[in-house]
Amino acid sequence: MSTRVAAVFFDLDDTLLDGVTAMQGAWGVVLPEAAAHLGCEPERLREAIRREATVFWRDEGRAGHWRVRLDEAREIVIRSALLREGLDPAWAPRLSRRFAEEHRANLRPFEDAIPTLELLRSRGLRLGLLTNGPAPLQRGKIERFGLQRYFDVIVIEGEFGQGKPSAAVFAHALRAVEATPELAWMVGDNLFADIGGAKAVGLRAAWIHRHRLRFPERPPAVPDEQLGQLLPELPELLGS
């Protein structure tokens, strides 16, 4: 690259941690349990929950309110799905709680996550972690996988009081690592929050799709680069 890089900011879920696989594993355990009692097919219930979740999270303004109340949001979505399918909504709290337990049990870092952080640290880059969501949940993930030691700054929405794409999040992170926007990159999977937020304040941004996300026809933001995986693509992009 023609311009040196001083700092790299990372999203957490589905960038460093494989939340999709954890979600699939959790529903794979929880839904058969519930379906046996509710008298329905697990896949029917899964589709109903998926539809309700899509509607619930479609409004980005509304999402900002519920991101720090994920347990409540999940229970609302599940209850709506049960009602639409004519099933007992009283099962919503139990389903939501079991999902959270199984998701945690299935959650793992991507294989290239830690090696990427170690490599970039060894090259002298300053690193930041910018994650939306509730403070206890996100802080718990960070501590569980020992991620805090890799970062010069960690900004959690539930602790900071604002989340991506707020300019305040990126401004705070830049000040913490003493970098200017043109010398920093943001890496994340969310085109609206990660890419749009970063680009709006002058950072360069790399969208990581992990070979399972499709780039939409009308994206909310356009990244400078697209990555299928962190290694070897990100170090090559950064010239590290």
Side-chain angles (χ1 to χ4, degrees), residues 36-113:
H37 291 276
L38 292 167
C40 68
E41 291 297 321
E43 189 53 37
R44 170 190 162 196
L45 186 52
R46 179 71 189 102
E47 284 301 318
I49 293 172
R50 187 180 290 116
R51 288 194 304 270
E52 293 301 316
T54 298
V55 173
F56 186 88
W57 293 107
R58 183 175 293 156
D59 184 338
E60 292 288 353
R62 184 188 191 198
H65 171 80
W66 289 107
R67 279 196 308 260
V68 294
R69 300 167 176 84
L70 288 181
D71 288 339
E72 295 175 53
R74 187 188 316 111
E75 188 172 323
I76 290 170
V77 167
I78 294 172
R79 181 177 288 108
S80 296
L82 291 169
L83 286 169
R84 285 194 177 275
E85 294 299 309
L87 300 170
D88 184 2
W91 271 78
R94 180 175 176 179
L95 271 170
S96 179
R97 184 172 59 253
R98 285 287 294 120
F99 174 86
E101 293 168 352
E102 290 295 330
H103 187 277
R104 185 183 189 284
N106 282 276
L107 189 63
R108 300 286 187 279
F110 286 103
E111 289 186 1
D112 60 359

Side-chain angles (χ1 to χ4, degrees), residues 27 36 141 164 214:
W27 286 130
K141 294 174 187 176
K164 300 169 293 183
R214 273 188 193 174

Side-chain angles (χ1 to χ4, degrees), residues 27-38:
W27 286 130
V29 171
V30 173
L31 292 181
E33 292 176 355
H37 291 276
L38 292 167

Side-chain angles (χ1 to χ4, degrees), residues 20-218:
V20 170
T21 298
M23 177 185 68
Q24 293 170 341
W27 286 130
V29 171
V30 173
L31 292 181
E33 292 176 355
H37 291 276
L38 292 167
C40 68
E41 291 297 321
E43 189 53 37
R44 170 190 162 196
L45 186 52
R46 179 71 189 102
E47 284 301 318
I49 293 172
R50 187 180 290 116
R51 288 194 304 270
E52 293 301 316
T54 298
V55 173
F56 186 88
W57 293 107
R58 183 175 293 156
D59 184 338
E60 292 288 353
R62 184 188 191 198
H65 171 80
W66 289 107
R67 279 196 308 260
V68 294
R69 300 167 176 84
L70 288 181
D71 288 339
E72 295 175 53
R74 187 188 316 111
E75 188 172 323
I76 290 170
V77 167
I78 294 172
R79 181 177 288 108
S80 296
L82 291 169
L83 286 169
R84 285 194 177 275
E85 294 299 309
L87 300 170
D88 184 2
W91 271 78
R94 180 175 176 179
L95 271 170
S96 179
R97 184 172 59 253
R98 285 287 294 120
F99 174 86
E101 293 168 352
E102 290 295 330
H103 187 277
R104 185 183 189 284
N106 282 276
L107 189 63
R108 300 286 187 279
F110 286 103
E111 289 186 1
D112 60 359
I114 301 301
T116 297
L117 298 176
E118 290 177 342
L119 176 60
L120 298 186
R121 291 288 296 187
S122 74
R123 301 293 172 86
L125 290 172
R126 284 160 276 171
L127 304 183
L129 182 63
L130 314 182
T131 179
N132 289 348
L137 177 66
Q138 300 304 82
R139 182 62 68 177
K141 294 174 187 176
I142 293 165
E143 293 176 355
R144 176 185 175 192
F145 297 112
L147 298 178
Q148 62 271 20
R149 65 181 178 271
Y150 297 109
F151 295 103
D152 300 288
V153 60
I154 295 174
V155 185
I156 300 174
E157 182 178 22
E159 294 176 350
F160 185 67
Q162 297 185 62
K164 300 169 293 183
S166 170
V169 171
F170 295 94
H172 174 78
L174 287 166
R175 286 194 299 270
V177 299
E178 300 181 335
T180 55
E182 64 272 14
L183 299 183
W185 277 83
M186 176 69 202
V187 182
D189 68 297
N190 189 300
L191 287 166
F192 175 77
D194 299 323
I195 307 307
K199 296 285 288 180
V201 295
L203 278 75
R204 285 170 289 177
W207 179 59
I208 184 161
H209 52 76
R210 294 282 181 188
H211 302 291
R212 62 191 183 194
L213 296 176
R214 273 188 193 174
F215 194 74
E217 292 184 7
R218 299 170 68 180

